[in-house]
Amino acid sequence: MAEFGSGGGTGGGGLPSSPGPVQGKVAFKAGDGEGGGGGGGRSRFDSAGSRVSNGDCAQPGAGEEPGSAPPASPESSSKEKGFSSSQQREGKPGIPRRSSIIKDGTKQKRERKKTVSFSSMPTEKKISSASDCINAMVEGSELKKVRSNSRVDHRYFLLDADMQSLRWEPSKKDSEKAKIDIKSIKEVRTGKNTDIFRSNGIYDQISEDCAFSIIYGENYESLDLVANSADVANIWVTGLRYLISYGKHTLDILGTTQDNMRTLWLSQMFSEADVDNLGHIPLCNAVQFIKDLNPGLKTNKIELKFKELHRSREKTGTEVTKEEFIEVFHELCTRPEIYFLLVQFSSNKEFLDTKDLMMFLEAEQGMAQVTEEISLEIIQKYEPAKEGQEKGCLSIDGFTNCLTSPDCHIFDPEHKKVCQDMKQPLSHYFINSSHNTYLIEDQFRGPSDITGYIRALKMGCRSVELDVWDGPDNEPVIYTGHTMTSQIVFRSVIDIINKYVFFASEYPLILCLENHCSIKQQKVMVQHMKKILGDKLHTQSPNIEESYLPSPESLKGKILIKAKKLSANCSGLEGDVTDEDEGAEMSQRVAKEGVEQQNSMTGKRFQLCKDLSELVSICKSVQFKEFQVSFQLQKYWEVCSFNEVLASKYANENPGDFVNYNKRFLARVFPSPMRIDSSNMNPQDFWKCGCQIVAMNFQPGLMMDLNIGWFRQNGNCGYVLRPAIMREEVSFFSANTKDTVPGVSPQLLHIKIISGQNFPKPKGSGAKGDVVDPYVYVEIHGIPADCAEQRTKTMHQNGDNPIFDESFEFQINLPELAMVRFVVLDDDYIGDEFIGQYTIPFECLQTGYRHVPLQSLTGESLAHASLFVHVAITNRRGGGKPHKRGLSVRKGKKSREYASMRTLWIKAIDEVFKNALQPIRDATDLRENMQNAVVSFKELCGLSPVANLMQCILAVSMHLVGPDNTPLVVVNLSDQYPTMELQGIVPEVLKKIVTAYEMMSFD
């Protein structure tokens, strides 16, 4: 079966693909598709630079007094607490400052008219069907009506009881004029995607997720509205779309579709449990039954819901009837955010048929070449109801199963196996590396244990460290010298390494041997390694005619020893070499700068046994002097180690030289001796310089999260191919760039945090009982130009299914070095507590609607805990994705940034590249013109820049037929690219759409 999100062909938009063998013309018919919108929205900033929370749908100056609604009310239009851009600047780039989030307990509460919602009100009835939406609309909601002159009016909107018209009050108009007939509505558009929204002076202060527009009348007028929450907006959009399709028969239609299928399935399940045909089952059985169907639910929550239902009906006893079972299941097991998504793609049905599912998988999930057979296979895999399986219908329960399955996780399954070229030189890869692998706690007094090696090797680590000293009974031992750490026997460690060396990866393991033993015990070390590791040891001498190290592919199944080596002219059985004692640095860590510490140790020398020296082949340890010396004299098989402080100095002062150095030579960076608590340096600081072996203390924390997440991207084999710009000899890259990278097209990452599921109470936190007040951080880690973070509002007292509905946008200048980290915290006045996190390389993101599995501080998966998100990437490399967002203000040619050439002062080469300048400028103009044309087409289709072209065609399809179902536009598929041909007299808006499409196709 095809996996979700694999491929990536047409799923994300981009240029229309060749129609293949299809010939002739296709006329669009009504009901062919629903304009799905583009998913993720954008975070906006006001003129002062402060972020306006997506949960804050109000705007200043609209007549509302500042204040805050009670925490339990999602309709509050006041700002949720967040952080301003000035607060972001206080911390280091890419490192979150939790203390910068100031909690304000002085906000005033005020009353609001109650509206239907579900996001942070556990006692409210959830929206689980279109009839719930219709009922909510009949009761009415307070919405904000946006005008073209930047005015915003607060009005109370409601649906007439006969469901024929939409009214609002108060209004200066006659009551018969302050309404819109349902039958005159052409389209319901989500987001800020009309001319009135785009030209409004408060555009940036309106949440994308709270905004929607009603397009009505023969002239396609728009009624532009902003709800007090994304929940309320979804209710109105869903209800109105049903009314457009079915009119006054909406509720009758609903009663004959999915609800019956779901009820029949639950009835059959209940009958199986009611073995004695009593018409009821014990409460404990009903609770367990629902928990089996939805394992993430808490037992006490299910019990409480049944008891509340019995209490409301004044019922005694603990027996549960079929009707009660079905009602509680509906209430607890329906996720409104998934329900709203289902009806968006179901052509206003309460289930997805095979064609609906095809459209969802292609337009949103990025799957290519989806067929009805594939859709049917997915339905039969995830649909629990037998009737749905037989008829090819995916209910809300099947759709939920599908979206929560590993097939729809955010991590691209293509990266779960080795997917990169493994035949490049060893120096072209980042290598998963461990520092003082034997230590499992702190660096000064902590215990040494062989479990450190087992854990590291199981996690895919490909470089481990052995700090070897003379031990009792002529047996070398491993520990950190000059400290109080305990000791383990060298032989035991070699045994363990031999057992687990290729447990997680078949690619070469590097043993970083820091040798402090006497000649006698060095010989014992050699005996143990030869006897235990045997043929796994790579002892072949390097080929002096080569210029680069062998590849990981050619070294499969081998162990490389990185250590000191005697010079080739040493004729004796032993000789002296310089000592590099990291433990001695730790003991001398007072007051000295890191650079001085490293240099102070270089004079010490020790005797090295020739037998041990001969085990070292292509990883000979040498002392680094300076870049120019290395470029001229260093051999490709020689490896230099850098103290974190020294490496940081070079990264800041010689970033270009450091990158060029690492194109050919291996560089190992180890933590500063000041880190006696086993804290970690930020590996990104050295990966951006191309350093391959960044040795980490394999203990929990943010930096270790980055390391674990980073090495997931190539089957967790311990090797990740570096970006081409860091490998190619002719390329130039500065590690500290704070702008775009020459030759790399920036990409925009749009992330919408929709909801969370089953957040556990943070460990060790008991001050609030079982209450969880979660919020989410989205962090970008990479080169300095990419480091950023954003946070959602806090959802009070809801850790089970909090609805966030907040969208963020990040510019990624070097995607191949970027990572995204999702962090969930519990908001607490005493100190925010960690709930869970997930770190993923940018290149491994799957676009569309995805679940993010959360992990604990120690890296274990948190059972059933996840985030539900929407991901869109524009202008992504390799095609098949939407192009870069175009702003409302177009860039003219004069403001475009063209590629420039770096003068090498070699006339022949400079002349060749000089002639390439004009073609590159022409290509830049072509690309920019194309992107602007695509943006214009998306705007006219009523979609955000995040949308792809398939979504545009779906959105515009409803306009392509007249009232009598005659086609107004015919799509000609006979040409290389499909063309649109007008048929007779058509509305002006349709002419503009066709013109924009032609411009896009022409470009």
Side-chain angles (χ1 to χ4, degrees):
M1 173 182 166
E3 289 184 312
F4 288 72
S6 58
T10 60
L15 290 172
S17 59
S18 174
V22 181
Q23 301 293 328
K25 300 182 179 182
V26 176
F28 282 85
K29 296 292 181 69
D32 280 351
E34 191 64 24
R42 292 170 282 187
S43 69
R44 295 291 180 183
F45 295 80
D46 63 17
S47 58
S50 298
R51 185 169 68 88
V52 177
S53 168
N54 280 344
D56 172 19
C57 303
Q59 80 296 331
E64 288 195 58
E65 296 179 2
S68 174
S73 174
E75 280 75 87
S76 169
S77 62
S78 64
K79 284 188 180 180
E80 293 283 356
K81 59 190 173 184
F83 59 86
S84 68
S85 57
S86 62
Q87 287 171 319
Q88 287 181 351
R89 289 191 292 267
E90 290 175 9
K92 295 180 180 179
I95 302 177
R97 280 179 56 92
R98 307 300 180 215
S99 60
S100 67
I101 305 166
I102 302 173
K103 298 168 179 59
D104 182 7
T106 64
K107 296 180 180 178
Q108 298 299 314
K109 298 181 179 181
R110 60 185 176 85
E111 296 298 322
R112 296 190 62 88
K113 183 181 287 292
K114 182 180 177 182
T115 56
V116 176
S117 184
F118 47 81
S119 57
S120 60
M121 301 174 64
T123 58
E124 287 283 347
K125 178 176 173 57
K126 285 184 180 179
I127 299 297
S128 60
S129 67
S131 59
D132 291 339
C133 296
I134 300 297
N135 290 333
M137 292 164 62
V138 171
E139 290 182 11
S141 303
E142 182 181 308
L143 304 174
K144 300 176 184 70
K145 183 179 177 183
V146 180
R147 298 179 180 273
S148 57
N149 58 2
S150 297
R151 277 185 54 196
V152 175
D153 299 329
H154 293 251
R155 298 289 182 261
Y156 195 79
F157 285 78
L158 67 161
L159 178 68
D160 275 352
D162 60 3
M163 295 184 292
Q164 296 301 300
S165 59
L166 174 66
R167 297 180 181 272
W168 59 90
E169 55 188 34
S171 175
K172 295 179 180 178
K173 297 180 180 179
D174 181 84
S175 60
E176 287 303 308
K177 292 183 179 180
K179 71 172 186 176
I180 294 176
D181 291 336
I182 297 298
K183 61 184 179 182
S184 72
I185 299 178
K186 306 291 186 183
E187 175 192 355
V188 181
R189 188 176 295 178
T190 58
K192 302 177 291 186
N193 295 307
T194 64
D195 289 339
I196 289 179
F197 269 129
R198 294 189 189 104
S199 61
N200 198 288
I202 59 169
Y203 178 92
D204 290 352
Q205 300 171 38
I206 297 173
S207 167
E208 179 84 12
D209 306 306
C210 297
F212 65 100
S213 302
I214 299 170
I215 313 300
Y216 66 98
E218 295 303 318
N219 295 323
Y220 289 80
E221 299 174 69
S222 68
L223 174 62
D224 300 286
L225 304 171
V226 180
N228 289 325
S229 72
D231 310 342
V232 176
N234 282 328
I235 288 169
W236 280 90
V237 169
T238 301
L240 286 170
R241 285 177 174 172
Y242 265 91
L243 289 169
I244 294 170
S245 297
Y246 305 119
K248 64 181 180 180
H249 303 294
T250 297
L251 296 181
D252 296 333
I253 295 294
L254 293 178
T256 61
T257 54
Q258 182 266 356
D259 189 55
N260 282 349
M261 187 169 72
R262 190 185 202 191
T263 301
L264 178 61
W265 166 62
L266 290 174
S267 297
Q268 292 172 345
M269 299 283 284
F270 185 88
S271 298
E272 292 174 6
D274 183 16
V275 291
D276 296 327
N277 294 321
L278 300 175
H280 56 77
I281 59 176
L283 174 62
C284 59
N285 291 5
V287 170
Q288 188 58 47
F289 205 176
I290 289 181
K291 189 167 179 60
D292 290 342
L293 295 172
N294 195 333
L297 284 174
K298 297 174 182 175
T299 301
N300 59 352
K301 183 176 181 178
I302 305 173
E303 289 180 355
L304 182 62
K305 185 59 66 174
F306 276 116
K307 290 176 180 178
E308 286 178 351
L309 181 63
H310 287 172
R311 192 179 304 114
S312 67
R313 297 179 178 180
E314 299 181 351
K315 176 181 176 180
T316 58
T318 58
E319 301 299 322
V320 175
T321 65
K322 179 174 68 176
E323 291 73 21
E324 292 168 346
F325 173 79
I326 293 174
E327 183 174 344
V328 170
F329 182 89
H330 272 262
E331 179 70 15
L332 293 180
C333 299
T334 303
R335 285 177 51 184
E337 70 277 22
I338 291 182
Y339 169 74
F340 288 130
L341 180 60
L342 179 142
V343 297
Q344 179 182 333
F345 282 89
S346 66
S347 301
N348 299 320
K349 304 184 297 293
E350 299 255 317
F351 60 88
L352 295 170
D353 59 28
T354 52
K355 290 184 177 179
D356 297 330
L357 185 57
M358 279 177 58
M359 201 61 66
F360 172 74
L361 295 175
E362 289 186 340
E364 280 295 347
Q365 302 299 85
M367 285 185 67
Q369 300 176 340
V370 184
T371 63
E372 286 197 57
E373 289 72 22
I374 291 176
S375 293
L376 185 59
E377 188 178 343
I378 292 171
I379 290 172
Q380 291 173 344
K381 180 178 180 180
Y382 293 112
E383 174 55 46
K386 188 176 181 180
E387 180 185 2
Q389 295 175 11
E390 294 172 350
K391 294 182 177 180
C393 298
L394 193 66
S395 68
I396 178 64
D397 301 296
F399 194 42
T400 302
N401 291 340
C402 175
L403 287 176
T404 55
S405 72
D407 286 332
C408 281
H409 278 186
I410 194 170
F411 190 90
D412 188 343
E414 289 297 312
H415 290 270
K416 291 183 178 179
K417 57 182 182 292
V418 176
C419 56
Q420 297 176 347
D421 179 9
M422 301 303 290
K423 297 180 180 179
Q424 299 282 329
L426 208 62
S427 60
H428 287 183
Y429 297 85
F430 297 115
I431 303 173
N432 195 357
S433 309
S434 167
H435 171 250
N436 286 354
T437 315
Y438 47 91
L439 293 179
I440 57 175
E441 290 182 14
D442 70 75
Q443 301 287 305
F444 196 73
R445 296 181 177 84
S448 302
D449 199 293
I450 58 173
T451 58
Y453 290 95
I454 297 174
R455 180 169 180 265
L457 292 171
K458 283 187 172 182
M459 293 171 68
C461 181
R462 294 290 84 193
S463 173
V464 297
E465 185 176 6
L466 299 87
D467 199 346
V468 193
W469 297 79
D470 281 352
D473 303 323
N474 201 32
E475 281 291 344
V477 293
I478 291 176
Y479 73 103
T480 302
H482 317 286
T483 69
M484 300 171 65
T485 57
S486 61
Q487 303 175 0
I488 49 176
V489 178
F490 176 80
R491 184 186 65 249
S492 301
V493 172
I494 298 299
D495 272 329
I496 286 296
I497 289 174
N498 184 57
K499 182 177 180 180
Y500 291 97
V501 58
F502 301 120
F503 179 89
S505 172
E506 59 186 343
Y507 292 100
L509 174 72
I510 301 173
L511 297 186
C512 295
L513 206 62
E514 193 173 318
N515 171 31
H516 309 285
C517 291
S518 62
I519 293 294
K520 183 179 180 181
Q521 294 209 13
Q522 287 180 35
K523 292 180 179 180
V524 175
M525 290 169 58
V526 173
Q527 292 173 4
H528 289 326
M529 286 191 286
K530 284 185 174 181
K531 180 180 179 180
I532 297 171
L533 301 179
D535 293 339
K536 295 187 182 77
L537 287 171
H538 183 275
T539 57
Q540 182 179 343
S541 299
N543 186 347
I544 60 175
E545 295 182 358
E546 297 287 341
S547 299
Y548 288 92
L549 289 164
S551 69
E553 183 69 29
S554 66
L555 293 170
K556 269 185 179 180
K558 292 296 182 180
I559 297 175
L560 312 177
I561 304 295
K562 174 197 169 294
K564 288 291 182 178
K565 186 175 179 67
L566 295 173
S567 62
N569 56 13
C570 179
S571 57
L573 296 178
E574 57 191 60
D576 68 330
V577 293
T578 58
D579 188 11
E580 295 177 5
D581 189 346
E582 296 173 16
E585 286 191 60
M586 189 178 300
S587 68
Q588 299 176 10
R589 64 189 183 279
V590 290
K592 291 185 178 181
E593 186 184 13
V595 178
E596 295 174 356
Q597 292 175 28
Q598 179 151 336
N599 291 338
S600 69
M601 300 306 302
T602 58
K604 186 178 177 182
R605 303 183 70 84
F606 76 102
Q607 292 294 108
L608 178 63
C609 166
K610 187 172 184 179
D611 290 342
L612 182 56
S613 173
E614 289 176 347
L615 294 182
V616 180
S617 58
I618 57 174
C619 290
K620 175 185 176 181
S621 293
V622 298
Q623 181 187 350
F624 180 80
K625 294 181 174 60
E626 59 181 54
F627 289 115
Q628 296 309 316
V629 173
S630 295
F631 292 147
Q632 295 176 19
L633 301 178
Q634 187 171 335
K635 304 295 188 294
Y636 71 83
W637 60 82
E638 294 177 337
V639 182
C640 291
S641 291
F642 299 83
N643 179 295
E644 170 191 351
V645 180
L646 182 64
S648 296
K649 176 179 180 291
Y650 290 139
N652 292 322
E653 296 179 5
N654 308 91
D657 286 338
F658 213 171
V659 171
N660 288 332
Y661 173 85
N662 288 317
K663 290 177 180 177
R664 190 177 177 196
F665 309 113
L666 286 178
R668 177 177 177 268
V669 180
F670 59 91
S672 163
M674 299 295 289
R675 297 185 182 274
I676 60 174
D677 59 349
S678 291
S679 61
N680 271 307
M681 53 196 170
N682 186 343
Q684 285 276 4
D685 291 343
F686 308 104
W687 289 337
K688 71 183 182 183
C689 300
C691 296
Q692 302 88 348
I693 306 175
V694 181
M696 305 288 287
N697 295 312
F698 267 47
Q699 292 167 43
L702 163 63
M703 302 312 169
M704 197 59 203
D705 290 342
L706 298 180
N707 192 78
I708 294 171
W710 181 249
F711 286 100
R712 283 196 184 106
Q713 64 183 292
N714 193 27
N716 202 36
C717 74
Y719 287 83
V720 169
L721 187 63
R722 296 186 307 173
I725 199 171
M726 302 176 75
R727 306 192 312 264
E728 297 168 349
E729 289 292 343
V730 297
S731 63
F732 174 78
F733 171 66
S734 174
N736 289 334
T737 179
K738 292 181 172 59
D739 203 347
T740 56
V741 178
V744 180
S745 180
Q747 301 183 32
L748 290 175
L749 172 63
H750 311 261
I751 294 180
K752 180 178 182 180
I753 307 296
I754 302 172
S755 64
Q757 294 75 46
N758 310 310
F759 294 158
K761 182 69 181 171
K763 288 186 177 180
S765 175
K768 300 189 296 183
D770 291 329
V771 173
V772 178
D773 300 315
Y775 65 93
V776 182
Y777 256 103
V778 182
E779 302 170 352
I780 307 296
H781 298 266
I783 62 173
D786 292 343
C787 292
E789 63 178 14
Q790 294 274 20
R791 65 154 283 180
T792 68
K793 59 183 176 293
T794 297
M795 299 307 300
H796 296 283
Q797 301 182 22
N798 188 354
D800 296 327
N801 185 217
I803 305 293
F804 297 100
D805 268 326
E806 292 198 56
S807 302
F808 307 114
E809 181 181 282
F810 304 93
Q811 177 164 311
I812 311 297
N813 295 286
L814 187 55
E816 289 175 292
L817 272 187
M819 280 189 288
V820 183
R821 185 170 184 256
F822 300 89
V823 190
V824 183
L825 299 174
D826 182 15
D827 199 339
D828 195 310
Y829 282 94
I830 298 174
D832 297 346
E833 298 282 351
F834 176 89
I835 293 176
Q837 69 86 33
Y838 187 77
T839 306
I840 179 172
F842 179 87
E843 294 289 300
C844 299
L845 289 171
Q846 289 204 101
T847 57
Y849 289 92
R850 304 291 173 183
H851 276 86
V852 181
L854 295 178
Q855 298 177 335
S856 68
L857 272 173
T858 53
E860 289 88 13
S861 294
L862 295 173
H864 313 298
S866 64
L867 288 171
F868 186 41
V869 303
H870 182 272
V871 178
I873 299 171
T874 58
N875 199 33
R876 190 169 185 176
R877 186 189 78 255
K881 303 293 178 185
H883 282 269
K884 181 178 177 181
R885 180 193 69 169
L887 303 178
S888 297
V889 180
R890 304 282 195 272
K891 285 187 177 180
K893 282 190 177 181
K894 290 183 179 179
S895 65
R896 287 179 179 172
E897 295 180 0
Y898 294 100
S900 58
M901 297 297 175
R902 185 182 177 210
T903 303
L904 300 178
W905 304 109
I906 303 174
K907 184 175 180 181
I909 296 177
D910 289 340
E911 285 296 324
V912 171
F913 281 94
K914 182 179 179 181
N915 294 331
L917 272 176
Q918 189 56 45
I920 291 174
R921 290 176 66 89
D922 294 341
T924 301
D925 287 338
L926 183 62
R927 183 187 65 189
E928 292 290 328
N929 292 340
M930 176 63 192
Q931 290 174 355
N932 288 338
V934 170
V935 170
S936 296
F937 182 61
K938 291 177 181 179
E939 288 182 353
L940 287 167
C941 291
L943 298 178
S944 70
V946 180
N948 56 52
L949 292 185
M950 179 175 288
Q951 293 166 343
C952 291
I953 297 299
L954 288 175
V956 79
S957 63
M958 65 185 72
H959 301 309
L960 302 186
V961 294
D964 55 353
N965 278 338
T966 58
L968 300 176
V969 176
V970 172
V971 178
N972 188 344
L973 300 179
S974 61
D975 296 331
Q976 182 179 4
Y977 293 105
T979 59
M980 289 187 180
E981 301 173 1
L982 294 172
Q983 306 293 304
I985 301 174
V986 298
E988 190 64 29
V989 65
L990 197 51
K991 290 181 182 179
K992 292 181 179 179
I993 290 173
V994 173
T995 301
Y997 180 82
E998 289 175 348
M999 289 180 62
M1000 182 177 64
S1001 302
F1002 176 77
D1003 287 333

